[in-house]
Amino acid sequence: MKKSVMTAALAAAGVLLAVQAPVPAQASSSSGFVPGSNPVLFVHGYNGGSSNWNTMADRFRADGWPSSHLHQWSYDSGRSNTVTAQQLSTEVERVLAATGATRVDIVSHSMGGLSSRYYLKNLDGTSRTEAWVSLGGPNHGTDSANACFDASCPEMRMGSSFLTALNSGDGTPGSPRYATWWSPCDTVINPDSSVSLSGAVNTRTTCVSHMGLLTDATVYAQTRDMINR
């Protein structure tokens, strides 16, 4: 399958994580924005873009989050996830300076989970992050990445040196709360079990597509409650 075909399969959102056994997300004491709620930084996946988050960001606004606390970040997903992680570090510092907050909540989709995990594990991101969410992320690789050839693609393949290093030792380091969501109907992350992380709250969704994880109302509500504790 050539890259143009991969773009149809992966580009539908950008590759990232999927989980193992179904574990229900815990409810928050508040479903709306409250003083002390962190700014939310959204990280899209392979061939994605900031607009992938429009529906979810609108739902956060409807629940009281000001636009100043919702950051739909965009980056070149063809570059190595290590490069993206460094850029993400800069973006986090920008968001913290702009909002006066001390920590962010990161919500990622597909491959966005890998660069953000690298940031937490290797670039002192744990001191800047309170909660990390991965929607359909290839935490342990996906066979979909065998058909694309950007610098980031080999890193998403099962058994890659990038994933081996990222998953070595503690896969959910530091004090942040970690959570993943995976769907049995996600055809981009193969196998489904790739999404789950030891140390995270791993939640199985209903039959939702890879891109549908971005717009599903239940996934949104669970994500909101997970980060807003």
Side-chain angles (χ1 to χ4, degrees):
M1 179 162 40
K2 298 190 185 293
K3 180 179 174 181
S4 59
V5 178
M6 182 62 178
T7 297
L10 285 180
V15 165
L16 244 334
L17 257 56
V19 170
Q20 58 186 61
V23 179
Q26 295 181 340
S28 165
S29 58
S30 173
S31 61
F33 182 85
V34 295
S37 292
N38 297 319
V40 182
L41 180 54
F42 299 98
V43 185
H44 65 75
Y46 181 74
N47 273 353
S50 59
S51 63
N52 289 158
W53 299 105
N54 287 351
T55 297
M56 185 172 285
D58 285 344
R59 284 175 169 149
F60 271 107
R61 290 188 189 92
D63 283 332
W65 269 259
S67 293
S68 62
H69 276 55
L70 299 170
H71 299 268
Q72 296 170 241
W73 185 53
S74 188
Y75 64 96
D76 180 358
S77 63
R79 304 183 74 179
S80 169
N81 284 288
T82 61
V83 173
T84 300
Q86 293 164 356
Q87 296 172 339
L88 177 59
S89 177
T90 299
E91 180 65 9
V92 169
E93 296 305 315
R94 187 193 70 77
V95 169
L96 294 179
T99 60
T102 57
R103 290 190 290 181
V104 299
D105 295 326
I106 294 176
V107 179
S108 67
H109 179 241
S110 198
M111 191 185 73
L114 300 188
S115 58
S116 54
R117 279 184 64 206
Y118 187 96
Y119 161 67
L120 265 66
K121 183 169 185 174
N122 299 301
L123 300 177
D124 195 32
T126 56
S127 68
R128 298 286 194 267
T129 307
E130 184 167 342
W132 174 86
V133 167
S134 172
L135 306 178
N139 286 313
H140 299 283
T142 175
D143 62 14
S144 296
N146 295 339
C148 68
F149 301 96
D150 286 327
S152 58
C153 292
E155 296 171 348
M156 292 188 284
R157 295 171 187 165
M158 290 177 281
S160 71
S161 58
F162 175 85
L163 286 176
T164 298
L166 188 62
N167 292 321
S168 65
D170 189 353
T172 53
S175 62
R177 300 188 306 277
Y178 293 81
T180 75
W181 276 259
W182 66 278
S183 169
C185 298
D186 185 341
T187 59
V188 174
I189 304 302
N190 303 304
D192 293 340
S193 58
S194 177
V195 179
S196 292
L197 284 173
S198 178
V201 175
N202 300 305
T203 301
R204 172 178 173 163
T205 72
T206 56
C207 187
V208 179
S209 69
H210 189 64
M211 289 304 291
L213 292 166
L214 294 161
T215 57
D216 183 81
T218 299
V219 171
Y220 161 70
Q222 292 174 339
T223 296
R224 175 203 63 203
D225 292 349
M226 183 271 175
I227 68 174
N228 200 39
R229 296 183 194 166

Short mmCIF file of all heavy atoms in Angstrom, two decimals, residues 18-50:
data_model
loop_
_atom_site.label_atom_id
_atom_site.label_comp_id
_atom_site.label_asym_id
_atom_site.label_seq_id
_atom_site.Cartn_x
_atom_site.Cartn_y
_atom_site.Cartn_z
N ALA A 18 -4.64 2.44 21.47
CA ALA A 18 -5.86 1.67 21.73
C ALA A 18 -5.63 0.74 22.90
O ALA A 18 -4.56 0.31 23.09
CB ALA A 18 -6.24 0.87 20.50
N VAL A 19 -6.57 0.36 23.74
CA VAL A 19 -6.34 -0.31 25.02
C VAL A 19 -6.74 -1.77 25.20
O VAL A 19 -7.18 -2.40 24.29
CB VAL A 19 -7.00 0.52 26.11
CG1 VAL A 19 -7.04 -0.17 27.41
CG2 VAL A 19 -6.30 1.83 26.23
N GLN A 20 -6.65 -2.30 26.37
CA GLN A 20 -6.95 -3.70 26.66
C GLN A 20 -8.30 -3.89 27.35
O GLN A 20 -9.34 -3.77 26.71
CB GLN A 20 -5.83 -4.30 27.51
CG GLN A 20 -5.59 -3.57 28.80
CD GLN A 20 -4.39 -4.09 29.53
OE1 GLN A 20 -3.27 -4.06 29.04
NE2 GLN A 20 -4.59 -4.58 30.72
N ALA A 21 -8.36 -4.28 28.61
CA ALA A 21 -9.63 -4.63 29.25
C ALA A 21 -10.45 -3.39 29.56
O ALA A 21 -9.94 -2.36 29.94
CB ALA A 21 -9.35 -5.40 30.53
N PRO A 22 -11.78 -3.48 29.41
CA PRO A 22 -12.64 -2.34 29.67
C PRO A 22 -12.68 -1.96 31.14
O PRO A 22 -13.00 -2.78 31.98
CB PRO A 22 -14.02 -2.81 29.19
CG PRO A 22 -13.94 -4.30 29.18
CD PRO A 22 -12.51 -4.65 28.95
N VAL A 23 -12.32 -0.68 31.40
CA VAL A 23 -12.36 -0.17 32.76
C VAL A 23 -13.11 1.14 32.72
O VAL A 23 -12.75 2.03 31.97
CB VAL A 23 -10.93 0.10 33.31
CG1 VAL A 23 -10.99 0.66 34.71
CG2 VAL A 23 -10.10 -1.17 33.25
N PRO A 24 -14.18 1.31 33.48
CA PRO A 24 -14.97 2.53 33.41
C PRO A 24 -14.20 3.73 33.92
O PRO A 24 -13.46 3.65 34.89
CB PRO A 24 -16.17 2.23 34.32
CG PRO A 24 -15.67 1.17 35.26
CD PRO A 24 -14.70 0.36 34.47
N ALA A 25 -14.38 4.88 33.23
CA ALA A 25 -13.74 6.12 33.68
C ALA A 25 -14.44 6.60 34.94
O ALA A 25 -15.65 6.48 35.08
CB ALA A 25 -13.84 7.17 32.58
N GLN A 26 -13.68 7.20 35.84
CA GLN A 26 -14.26 7.70 37.06
C GLN A 26 -14.86 9.08 36.83
O GLN A 26 -14.34 9.88 36.07
CB GLN A 26 -13.18 7.78 38.15
CG GLN A 26 -12.65 6.42 38.54
CD GLN A 26 -11.62 6.52 39.63
OE1 GLN A 26 -11.04 7.57 39.84
NE2 GLN A 26 -11.38 5.43 40.31
N ALA A 27 -15.93 9.35 37.50
CA ALA A 27 -16.61 10.63 37.32
C ALA A 27 -15.90 11.73 38.09
O ALA A 27 -15.28 11.50 39.12
CB ALA A 27 -18.05 10.51 37.79
N SER A 28 -16.03 12.95 37.60
CA SER A 28 -15.44 14.10 38.25
C SER A 28 -16.43 14.70 39.24
O SER A 28 -17.63 14.52 39.13
CB SER A 28 -15.09 15.14 37.18
OG SER A 28 -14.84 16.39 37.76
N SER A 29 -15.90 15.44 40.20
CA SER A 29 -16.78 16.12 41.14
C SER A 29 -17.45 17.31 40.45
O SER A 29 -18.42 17.84 40.95
CB SER A 29 -15.97 16.59 42.36
OG SER A 29 -14.92 17.46 41.94
N SER A 30 -16.90 17.73 39.33
CA SER A 30 -17.48 18.84 38.59
C SER A 30 -17.34 18.57 37.11
O SER A 30 -16.27 18.26 36.62
CB SER A 30 -16.78 20.16 38.95
OG SER A 30 -17.24 21.20 38.11
N SER A 31 -18.45 18.70 36.38
CA SER A 31 -18.40 18.47 34.94
C SER A 31 -18.17 19.76 34.17
O SER A 31 -18.17 19.75 32.94
CB SER A 31 -19.71 17.82 34.47
OG SER A 31 -20.81 18.68 34.73
N GLY A 32 -17.99 20.84 34.89
CA GLY A 32 -17.76 22.13 34.24
C GLY A 32 -16.47 22.78 34.70
O GLY A 32 -15.85 22.34 35.67
N PHE A 33 -16.08 23.81 34.01
CA PHE A 33 -14.87 24.56 34.35
C PHE A 33 -15.01 25.19 35.72
O PHE A 33 -16.05 25.76 36.06
CB PHE A 33 -14.64 25.64 33.30
CG PHE A 33 -13.38 26.44 33.51
CD1 PHE A 33 -12.17 25.98 33.02
CD2 PHE A 33 -13.42 27.65 34.19
CE1 PHE A 33 -11.00 26.72 33.19
CE2 PHE A 33 -12.26 28.39 34.37
CZ PHE A 33 -11.05 27.92 33.88
N VAL A 34 -13.98 25.05 36.52
CA VAL A 34 -13.95 25.66 37.85
C VAL A 34 -12.61 26.36 38.03
O VAL A 34 -11.64 26.07 37.32
CB VAL A 34 -14.14 24.60 38.96
CG1 VAL A 34 -15.51 23.96 38.87
CG2 VAL A 34 -13.04 23.54 38.89
N PRO A 35 -12.53 27.31 38.97
CA PRO A 35 -11.23 27.92 39.25
C PRO A 35 -10.22 26.82 39.57
O PRO A 35 -10.48 25.94 40.38
CB PRO A 35 -11.52 28.81 40.46
CG PRO A 35 -12.97 29.13 40.34
CD PRO A 35 -13.60 27.90 39.79
N GLY A 36 -9.11 26.86 38.93
CA GLY A 36 -8.11 25.82 39.12
C GLY A 36 -8.10 24.77 38.03
O GLY A 36 -7.17 23.96 37.97
N SER A 37 -9.14 24.76 37.17
CA SER A 37 -9.09 23.84 36.02
C SER A 37 -7.92 24.23 35.13
O SER A 37 -7.68 25.42 34.87
CB SER A 37 -10.40 23.92 35.22
OG SER A 37 -11.48 23.40 35.95
N ASN A 38 -7.20 23.24 34.66
CA ASN A 38 -6.00 23.50 33.85
C ASN A 38 -6.35 23.84 32.41
O ASN A 38 -7.39 23.40 31.90
CB ASN A 38 -5.09 22.27 33.84
CG ASN A 38 -4.57 21.92 35.20
OD1 ASN A 38 -4.19 22.78 35.99
ND2 ASN A 38 -4.55 20.62 35.52
N PRO A 39 -5.47 24.55 31.72
CA PRO A 39 -5.64 24.67 30.27
C PRO A 39 -5.48 23.31 29.62
O PRO A 39 -4.71 22.47 30.11
CB PRO A 39 -4.52 25.64 29.86
CG PRO A 39 -3.52 25.61 30.97
CD PRO A 39 -4.29 25.30 32.21
N VAL A 40 -6.22 23.09 28.55
CA VAL A 40 -6.18 21.81 27.84
C VAL A 40 -5.41 21.99 26.54
O VAL A 40 -5.70 22.89 25.76
CB VAL A 40 -7.60 21.30 27.53
CG1 VAL A 40 -7.54 19.94 26.84
CG2 VAL A 40 -8.43 21.22 28.80
N LEU A 41 -4.42 21.14 26.33
CA LEU A 41 -3.62 21.18 25.11
C LEU A 41 -3.93 19.93 24.29
O LEU A 41 -3.71 18.80 24.75
CB LEU A 41 -2.13 21.23 25.46
CG LEU A 41 -1.12 21.27 24.31
CD1 LEU A 41 -1.42 22.42 23.35
CD2 LEU A 41 0.29 21.42 24.86
N PHE A 42 -4.50 20.12 23.10
CA PHE A 42 -4.90 19.02 22.24
C PHE A 42 -3.79 18.70 21.24
O PHE A 42 -3.27 19.60 20.56
CB PHE A 42 -6.16 19.39 21.46
CG PHE A 42 -7.36 19.69 22.32
CD1 PHE A 42 -7.71 21.00 22.61
CD2 PHE A 42 -8.14 18.67 22.83
CE1 PHE A 42 -8.82 21.29 23.39
CE2 PHE A 42 -9.26 18.94 23.61
CZ PHE A 42 -9.61 20.26 23.89
N VAL A 43 -3.44 17.42 21.12
CA VAL A 43 -2.37 16.98 20.21
C VAL A 43 -2.95 15.98 19.22
O VAL A 43 -3.33 14.86 19.60
CB VAL A 43 -1.20 16.35 20.99
CG1 VAL A 43 -0.05 16.02 20.03
CG2 VAL A 43 -0.72 17.28 22.10
N HIS A 44 -3.04 16.36 17.95
CA HIS A 44 -3.62 15.48 16.93
C HIS A 44 -2.66 14.37 16.53
O HIS A 44 -1.52 14.31 17.00
CB HIS A 44 -4.02 16.31 15.70
CG HIS A 44 -2.88 16.96 14.98
ND1 HIS A 44 -2.01 16.26 14.16
CD2 HIS A 44 -2.46 18.25 14.94
CE1 HIS A 44 -1.11 17.08 13.65
NE2 HIS A 44 -1.34 18.30 14.12
N GLY A 45 -3.11 13.51 15.63
CA GLY A 45 -2.31 12.37 15.21
C GLY A 45 -1.73 12.52 13.82
O GLY A 45 -1.67 13.62 13.25
N TYR A 46 -1.31 11.40 13.26
CA TYR A 46 -0.65 11.37 11.95
C TYR A 46 -1.58 11.92 10.86
O TYR A 46 -2.73 11.50 10.74
CB TYR A 46 -0.24 9.94 11.62
CG TYR A 46 0.48 9.79 10.29
CD1 TYR A 46 1.80 10.21 10.16
CD2 TYR A 46 -0.16 9.25 9.19
CE1 TYR A 46 2.47 10.09 8.96
CE2 TYR A 46 0.51 9.11 7.97
CZ TYR A 46 1.82 9.53 7.86
OH TYR A 46 2.48 9.41 6.67
N ASN A 47 -1.06 12.86 10.08
CA ASN A 47 -1.82 13.52 9.02
C ASN A 47 -3.07 14.24 9.52
O ASN A 47 -3.98 14.52 8.74
CB ASN A 47 -2.22 12.53 7.92
CG ASN A 47 -1.14 12.36 6.86
OD1 ASN A 47 -0.14 13.06 6.86
ND2 ASN A 47 -1.35 11.42 5.97
N GLY A 48 -3.11 14.51 10.80
CA GLY A 48 -4.23 15.25 11.36
C GLY A 48 -3.94 16.75 11.37
O GLY A 48 -2.98 17.23 10.78
N GLY A 49 -4.77 17.47 12.06
CA GLY A 49 -4.61 18.91 12.17
C GLY A 49 -5.39 19.44 13.35
O GLY A 49 -6.19 18.72 13.96
N SER A 50 -5.19 20.70 13.66
CA SER A 50 -5.84 21.30 14.83
C SER A 50 -7.36 21.24 14.72
O SER A 50 -8.07 21.13 15.74
CB SER A 50 -5.38 22.74 15.01
OG SER A 50 -5.68 23.52 13.85
#
